[in-house]
Amino acid sequence: MRHLETGKFCELQRNPSNIRNICILAHVDHGKTTLADSLIASNGIISNRLAGKLRYMDSLKEEQIRGITMKSSSISLFFNMEFLVNLIDSPGHVDFSSEVSTAVRLCDGALVVVDVVEGVCPQTHAVLRQAWLEHIRPCLVINKIDRLITELKLTPSEAHVQIQKVLEQVNAVTGSLFSSKVLEENTDKEPNCKSSEKGCPLNTLYDWSAGFEETDDSSLYFSPDQGNVVFASALDGWGFCVEHFAWLYAQKMGVKMEVLRKTLWGDFYLDPKAKKMMKGAQAKGKKPVFVQLVLENIWALYDAVVIRDKDKVEKMVASQGLKIPTRDMKHHDPKVVLSAICSQWLPLAHAVLSMVCSKLPSPLENDVERVERLLCPRLRRFESLPIETQALKESFLACKSEGSDVPVIVFVSKQFAVDMSQLVRGMRLLNQADSCVEVLIQESGEHVLVTAGEVHLQRCLDDLRFAKIEIDVSAPIIPFRETIIRRPKVDMVNEEMGSQNRFANQRRRRGKTEGHLSEGIRVEGDGLVTVTTPGGECTVSIRALPLPEGVAHHLEESVELIRSMEQFNTTLHENQDNMLDAIRNFKRDLEDCFQGMKWKNAVSQICSFGPRRCGPNLLLNRVEGYTRPSVWQCIEKKLCSAGTYRDYDNSIVSGFQLATLAGPICEEPMRGVCFFLERWETRGVQTPRSVSEGITEVKLASLPSGDEQQSDTESEGGGSMAKEGGSVAGSERSDEGIRSDSYGSCSGQLISTMKDACRFAFQMKPQRMMAAMYTCEIQATADVLGKVYAVLARREGRVLCEEMRQGSAVFSIRAALPVAESFGFAEEIRKRTSGLASPQLVFSHWEVVTSDPFWVPTTEEEYLHFGEKADSENQAKKYVMAVRKRKGLLVEEQVVEHAEKQRTRARKK
């Protein structure tokens, strides 16, 4: 096909009604890039023979090596000399979901590609949901039909059943998205009918099915008779929709094309005597029309080409009126013969592009809601935007380019200035270009690159190196969490732990803790830790308990809401009823998660969340006679009287924040720990006073643990300076109405004391490490299942479920794998299975490592099983030592310095 001239392209761009902006979405290895190659070959950019092999849209070297798309690529194509199709090929790997989100937001339609053998996979769910949320219209391409013939050896009838199952799976996902939307809308419309209101009976029931009857969802589902489904084999270069065969048979059979289009797919069969399409093929045991007129012809062509039946192939070519070059017909490779015949009989590019141009909308058909969402940054409403920004909506809807005030959307690529640091600017641009990339700067000055996974990390590093940036990459930093658990009932050899052994372990743990205690610290038998400040002014008593797993999980899911609660408590907000309702619901759900007498009134006693005031740890106030400001004051609107405790309340909370940010095991953040403030006594503490005008206030903020002693020194120095000025002492006045977060003379000491008390209370309980876990989805055949299980077992993984896909020999394995063991996992499993298995890793949850990092044998059975040194591998201890070594903390390892060759004893002759 000849290339289109530049002038024609410019002319097409001026007509928005003939422009289609689309993206290709699919699970990894379902054929997106191969399909894009066929579309590009239709415009003469690459050869038809190279389509599917060249991977034209994968321009990165790493993409060609790994065989997966890692960056979205775009290209402009034309169709029938009147339509301009702007195509974006997006990645299918879960690590590059941000690229998919960007592509979907920029397009007006999407091609969802599904492998007919593997069916709907996890990323297929994700892309369908993404397209639904962005209000773009999708079309379906059921790809790799040839695998049903060559690999699974299915008959046309069996293949028809498999195709129906895949289509039902895709429509089931769409139906669930539609149902959730209708239920959400009905919930918003549901009247708040209370029993106390007039006209609302006590037994009022809400009809949830009312919204489904009123809403038309017929156009949402994929159906071949509607023209939004293409059956294809992108690798062999053929594809068709129902309309194509309806047009072919309308000329031969003398039947109206509209009748054939409606009956080629469905429960219809062809009655040869009456020469009519009859309904009820399944009930009468007849072959469906789709099998008889479509699939059997394709199967016959494959059989004739593979067994090299030259006469039959020539007859089929002549019956369709095709002109195949002799060179292609005599080629020794059956794939070349198939491609040559099918590219004329069932042209893939024509089927896909005709569906795109007829079923997907143009930019002029954008709905108002979608344009408003594009203009709104983050969670802002369109009505809250400036008037100038709201005026741009009309320009978007009309797709006008006249004038100088219309919006312009561009992609910013990497640019490096000579007068700036290349590394800083390169990482900043990488952060802007990829929403899944986060750049942090540690206190040591090192730049930390946070990515979605191993493959994503490798691509980001390749981008930096491609920009001529010299970088030195460290080993990956694995996140861990520290937590406490209930007393175990069995020992390391699964023997029931008696009271004597349990008390021995408690004494051992208590003795180990007391070995590091200093003066002013007292530990009681029930785990209550009492700590006094160095000056003896304040004494606090702390107890630690593990939070229920449901509470910790709920706190992690509500991080943004907890962070907004802090803003509501410190500032005045109006017209935020939705946010206040969300906070009330969060409090109610949190109360439901706490069960048992020991958690009675726990929600109302919450002082703070930690770390960073929004984490999955709690500080509860159980000091008798002290009612502090509640974290729920934005919805309770209660004022608390000021007092001595209130003046130093911020120091208690700051100490709790520092303790939960760096735990005692290896200074990793805590998770799922609740600290009870049981007692708080003050002796001889002066209440902070507000300073009169003309005197400069000195406020000391809480510092990290390494600088706390310096903070205390500066605080004492500030106090002595205030005492020297006689004007200050004479002008002191109390202002009980306004109590700001001032710092008294012992505030810094109280922060350090509270931090130490929380850490010691934590150590009095059984300590455990928590590892981040991936959910691993693996598609593999039965031949390589043993190798897959061997790799999982070697990396501390465990299989959650295993099921065989119906109609195929492919097994779907779902496993849990620690993040710390995942590096190199994908490459190893591909090598072990010769490329027949490829995993998808998605972060799932935090899981407690069962082994105790400080365990030593205590019983006779443990000594017999593990030996006196117990030097067998302890997974938790291995993780702890690795983290402590990375952070420069004390590790228990033997380092041999100035080693000499060992002298051996002379043998006696």
Side-chain angles (χ1 to χ4, degrees):
M1 183 178 292
R2 65 182 181 87
H3 294 281
L4 195 66
E5 298 179 356
T6 307
K8 184 63 176 178
F9 261 114
C10 297
E11 181 181 347
L12 291 176
Q13 289 176 348
R14 297 190 187 99
N15 186 10
S17 61
N18 285 359
I19 295 178
R20 300 293 185 269
N21 301 317
I22 66 170
C23 58
I24 304 179
L25 309 175
H27 189 76
V28 65
D29 289 336
H30 276 205
K32 300 180 302 300
T33 306
T34 307
L35 175 63
D37 276 1
S38 298
L39 301 182
I40 294 170
S42 68
N43 277 232
I45 300 175
I46 63 175
S47 170
N48 287 323
R49 290 189 177 184
L50 294 178
K53 303 175 183 178
L54 184 61
R55 301 180 63 89
Y56 183 80
M57 302 294 278
D58 290 347
S59 56
L60 297 179
K61 181 180 178 180
E62 192 69 19
E63 292 178 327
Q64 294 288 343
I65 294 175
R66 291 179 177 268
I68 60 174
T69 304
M70 304 171 71
K71 270 194 172 183
S72 296
S73 303
S74 60
I75 194 171
S76 294
L77 307 173
F78 67 92
F79 177 65
N80 284 348
M81 305 297 291
E82 58 177 342
F83 287 98
L84 180 64
V85 179
N86 298 316
L87 176 69
I88 298 179
D89 181 22
S90 63
H93 199 281
V94 68
D95 283 1
F96 310 107
S97 56
S98 62
E99 298 278 347
V100 178
S101 302
T102 304
V104 170
R105 183 158 294 186
L106 291 174
C107 296
D108 306 315
L111 288 175
V112 180
V113 183
V114 179
D115 188 337
V116 70
V117 176
E118 297 184 3
V120 175
C121 293
Q123 278 301 104
T124 313
H125 281 272
V127 298
L128 285 171
R129 179 177 177 80
Q130 191 71 30
W132 176 272
L133 294 177
E134 294 297 336
H135 297 87
I136 68 171
R137 191 180 306 170
C139 286
L140 181 63
V141 177
I142 300 180
N143 194 22
K144 301 188 180 183
I145 303 291
D146 59 295
R147 293 185 63 187
L148 302 178
I149 308 173
T150 58
E151 291 184 19
L152 302 185
K153 308 294 184 181
L154 300 183
T155 63
S157 299
E158 294 171 342
H160 180 244
V161 174
Q162 176 66 18
I163 294 173
Q164 282 183 319
K165 289 181 179 179
V166 173
L167 193 60
E168 290 172 359
Q169 291 174 2
V170 178
N171 285 331
V173 177
T174 305
S176 64
L177 295 172
F178 168 74
S179 302
S180 61
K181 179 184 177 181
V182 173
L183 290 175
E184 183 179 355
E185 292 177 352
N186 291 350
T187 303
D188 296 337
K189 296 178 182 179
E190 180 186 1
N192 296 325
C193 183
K194 299 181 181 180
S195 59
S196 60
E197 295 178 354
K198 296 181 179 180
C200 285
L202 294 175
N203 57 350
T204 300
L205 296 177
Y206 186 74
D207 185 12
W208 293 101
S209 62
F212 296 100
E213 298 175 355
E214 300 171 358
T215 308
D216 182 20
D217 61 339
S218 58
S219 61
L220 298 177
Y221 299 106
F222 301 101
S223 180
D225 56 358
Q226 294 183 4
N228 57 1
V229 178
V230 166
F231 306 94
S233 172
L235 188 62
D236 290 344
W238 60 266
F240 64 91
C241 56
V242 170
E243 291 182 357
H244 179 74
F245 275 94
W247 175 76
L248 289 177
Y249 285 107
Q251 298 175 344
K252 293 183 178 181
M253 300 174 61
V255 184
K256 293 183 179 180
M257 179 179 173
E258 186 66 23
V259 175
L260 284 173
R261 187 180 65 84
K262 292 182 178 180
T263 56
L264 270 177
W265 181 264
D267 192 24
F268 297 94
Y269 70 95
L270 177 62
D271 189 351
K273 295 183 179 180
K275 295 183 179 181
K276 292 182 179 180
M277 300 294 180
M278 310 296 291
K279 197 171 184 179
Q282 185 176 2
K284 298 179 182 179
K286 302 289 186 179
K287 286 184 180 180
V289 179
F290 188 77
V291 174
Q292 189 173 358
L293 300 183
V294 179
L295 295 184
E296 287 185 351
N297 288 328
I298 298 176
W299 259 245
L301 176 62
Y302 267 81
D303 292 339
V305 172
V306 170
I307 64 177
R308 297 185 179 275
D309 190 345
K310 183 178 178 182
D311 296 337
K312 188 175 181 180
V313 172
E314 292 179 352
K315 183 178 179 182
M316 296 180 68
V317 170
S319 64
Q320 297 296 333
L322 307 178
K323 296 181 180 180
I324 310 299
T326 306
R327 181 186 60 182
D328 293 339
M329 291 293 293
K330 294 182 179 181
H331 202 281
H332 65 278
D333 189 0
K335 289 285 185 181
V336 177
V337 181
L338 276 173
S339 179
I341 297 175
C342 294
S343 61
Q344 295 187 31
W345 180 36
L346 305 172
L348 174 61
H350 184 275
V352 174
L353 293 178
S354 61
M355 178 181 66
V356 166
C357 296
S358 61
K359 298 300 179 181
L360 296 184
S362 68
L364 294 175
E365 300 176 44
N366 272 330
D367 57 348
V368 178
E369 182 181 357
R370 185 164 184 263
V371 173
E372 291 180 353
R373 291 184 60 184
L374 289 173
L375 292 174
C376 292
R378 296 193 178 185
L379 300 178
R380 291 188 61 181
R381 294 184 178 182
F382 182 76
E383 294 77 10
S384 63
L385 297 177
I387 300 177
E388 296 81 3
T389 306
Q390 296 185 27
L392 297 177
K393 182 175 72 171
E394 300 300 329
S395 299
F396 269 101
L397 292 173
C399 295
K400 295 180 179 178
S401 59
E402 295 83 4
S404 59
D405 56 346
V406 295
V408 179
I409 299 178
V410 297
F411 282 108
V412 181
S413 60
K414 302 179 181 65
Q415 294 180 350
F416 298 92
V418 179
D419 57 341
M420 297 183 66
S421 172
Q422 288 186 335
L423 176 62
V424 175
R425 182 160 179 78
M427 296 183 74
R428 185 183 304 164
L429 290 176
L430 190 63
N431 188 18
Q432 293 176 356
D434 195 339
S435 60
C436 286
V437 173
E438 185 177 355
V439 178
L440 305 175
I441 301 179
Q442 291 186 334
E443 296 177 357
S444 60
E446 293 177 324
H447 293 262
V448 180
L449 192 66
V450 184
T451 59
E454 182 185 6
V455 182
H456 189 207
L457 172 64
Q458 188 62 42
R459 197 213 67 186
C460 293
L461 295 177
D462 291 340
D463 287 344
L464 292 175
R465 294 190 179 102
F466 179 78
K468 306 276 179 78
I469 299 176
E470 298 294 334
I471 54 177
D472 185 16
V473 182
S474 68
I477 299 175
I478 311 299
F480 288 94
R481 294 293 184 267
E482 301 180 17
T483 188
I484 56 178
I485 62 173
R486 295 181 178 181
R487 304 287 181 190
K489 297 181 180 180
V490 295
D491 56 13
M492 292 293 291
V493 291
N494 291 329
E495 295 287 342
E496 186 176 357
M497 188 179 296
S499 58
Q500 184 177 358
N501 294 335
R502 192 178 300 115
F503 291 146
N505 289 336
Q506 293 179 12
R507 286 195 301 270
R508 177 181 57 82
R509 188 181 298 107
R510 182 177 178 182
K512 186 175 180 179
T513 305
E514 290 178 349
H516 301 281
L517 298 182
S518 58
E519 295 184 6
I521 302 177
R522 186 174 69 256
V523 179
E524 299 181 8
D526 57 350
L528 184 66
V529 177
T530 303
V531 186
T532 305
T533 57
E537 295 90 349
C538 295
T539 301
V540 293
S541 297
I542 300 295
R543 190 194 311 275
L545 284 178
L547 279 175
E549 179 58 29
V551 176
H553 183 70
H554 189 52
L555 292 176
E556 285 182 332
E557 290 182 340
S558 309
V559 168
E560 295 297 331
L561 185 60
I562 297 174
R563 190 177 288 119
S564 64
M565 285 172 53
E566 186 74 18
Q567 300 176 358
F568 268 75
N569 292 333
T570 55
T571 58
L572 180 62
H573 292 263
E574 297 180 357
N575 299 326
Q576 296 289 343
D577 294 338
N578 293 335
M579 184 60 69
L580 293 177
D581 292 340
I583 294 175
R584 293 189 186 97
N585 294 334
F586 168 65
K587 182 182 179 182
R588 183 172 59 252
D589 295 341
L590 202 59
E591 290 174 346
D592 296 338
C593 294
F594 282 107
Q595 296 180 358
M597 289 300 298
K598 65 179 179 180
W599 300 111
K600 186 177 181 181
N601 300 327
V603 176
S604 59
Q605 295 173 353
I606 296 176
C607 296
S608 179
F609 304 90
R612 300 184 179 91
R613 298 183 181 270
C614 59
N617 303 285
L618 297 179
L619 175 63
L620 269 58
N621 172 36
R622 289 193 174 178
V623 179
E624 296 182 2
Y626 172 52
T627 305
R628 71 173 306 279
S630 174
V631 295
W632 315 106
Q633 62 183 0
C634 57
I635 56 177
E636 293 177 351
K637 299 180 180 179
K638 294 181 181 179
L639 297 178
C640 299
S641 59
T644 304
Y645 289 148
R646 171 72 184 278
D647 298 327
Y648 296 98
D649 185 82
N650 191 53
S651 300
I652 292 291
V653 173
S654 298
F656 163 74
Q657 299 295 332
L658 290 174
T660 54
L661 185 61
I665 302 179
C666 55
E667 293 192 358
E668 287 289 290
M670 296 183 187
R671 182 188 182 275
V673 183
C674 181
F675 293 99
F676 296 90
L677 181 60
E678 300 285 355
R679 290 197 300 270
W680 183 7
E681 299 176 359
T682 58
R683 294 180 295 276
V685 179
Q686 295 182 358
T687 305
R689 307 286 183 177
S690 59
V691 186
S692 61
E693 295 182 357
I695 303 299
T696 304
E697 289 189 359
V698 179
K699 295 186 177 181
L700 300 178
S702 59
L703 298 175
S705 58
D707 300 332
E708 288 170 0
Q709 189 172 358
Q710 181 181 355
S711 174
D712 299 340
T713 306
E714 294 177 358
S715 177
E716 294 174 1
S720 62
M721 290 172 58
K723 290 180 180 179
E724 290 178 0
S727 60
V728 177
S731 61
E732 282 185 351
R733 60 185 178 86
S734 62
D735 189 357
E736 298 294 336
I738 303 176
R739 293 277 180 176
S740 61
D741 291 333
S742 304
Y743 292 89
S745 59
C746 68
S747 176
Q749 298 179 7
L750 187 56
I751 293 175
S752 180
T753 300
M754 181 63 185
K755 174 187 172 184
D756 293 340
C758 291
R759 291 169 70 102
F760 286 126
F762 181 93
Q763 290 176 307
M764 289 305 299
K765 301 293 181 179
Q767 307 170 63
R768 294 293 186 271
M769 293 293 292
M770 298 192 75
M773 301 295 293
Y774 276 140
T775 296
C776 179
E777 299 280 350
I778 305 175
Q779 309 289 332
T781 59
D783 302 336
V784 296
L785 276 182
K787 298 177 181 179
V788 171
Y789 288 158
V791 175
L792 286 172
R794 192 179 304 114
R795 292 178 174 267
E796 303 296 331
R798 69 178 189 276
V799 177
L800 302 178
C801 65
E802 171 198 326
E803 58 182 7
M804 186 176 183
R805 292 188 174 273
Q806 295 182 358
S808 69
V810 178
F811 284 84
S812 178
I813 305 168
R814 194 163 184 261
L817 183 72
V819 176
E821 306 291 341
S822 65
F823 292 94
F825 172 72
E827 184 178 358
E828 181 183 1
I829 205 169
R830 277 197 295 266
K831 288 181 178 179
R832 297 286 182 180
T833 61
S834 302
L836 297 178
S838 180
Q840 287 275 305
L841 301 176
V842 182
F843 176 75
S844 175
H845 62 284
W846 292 95
E847 187 173 292
V848 177
V849 181
T850 55
S851 56
D852 185 357
F854 306 109
W855 175 83
V856 292
T858 55
T859 64
E860 184 178 354
E861 290 79 4
E862 290 175 347
Y863 275 112
L864 292 175
H865 190 275
F866 295 99
E868 293 184 2
K869 295 183 179 180
D871 53 358
S872 60
E873 185 179 20
N874 186 333
Q875 196 69 18
K877 187 176 182 179
K878 185 181 74 171
Y879 293 153
V880 170
M881 292 299 110
V883 175
R884 293 184 68 90
K885 188 174 182 180
R886 173 172 58 84
K887 294 184 176 182
L889 303 175
L890 179 64
V891 295
E892 297 178 2
E893 64 177 0
Q894 295 180 354
V895 180
V896 180
E897 295 183 0
H898 311 294
E900 296 180 357
K901 185 177 181 180
Q902 182 180 4
R903 295 180 180 179
T904 59
R905 191 179 303 175
R907 296 181 179 179
K908 295 182 180 180
K909 296 183 181 180

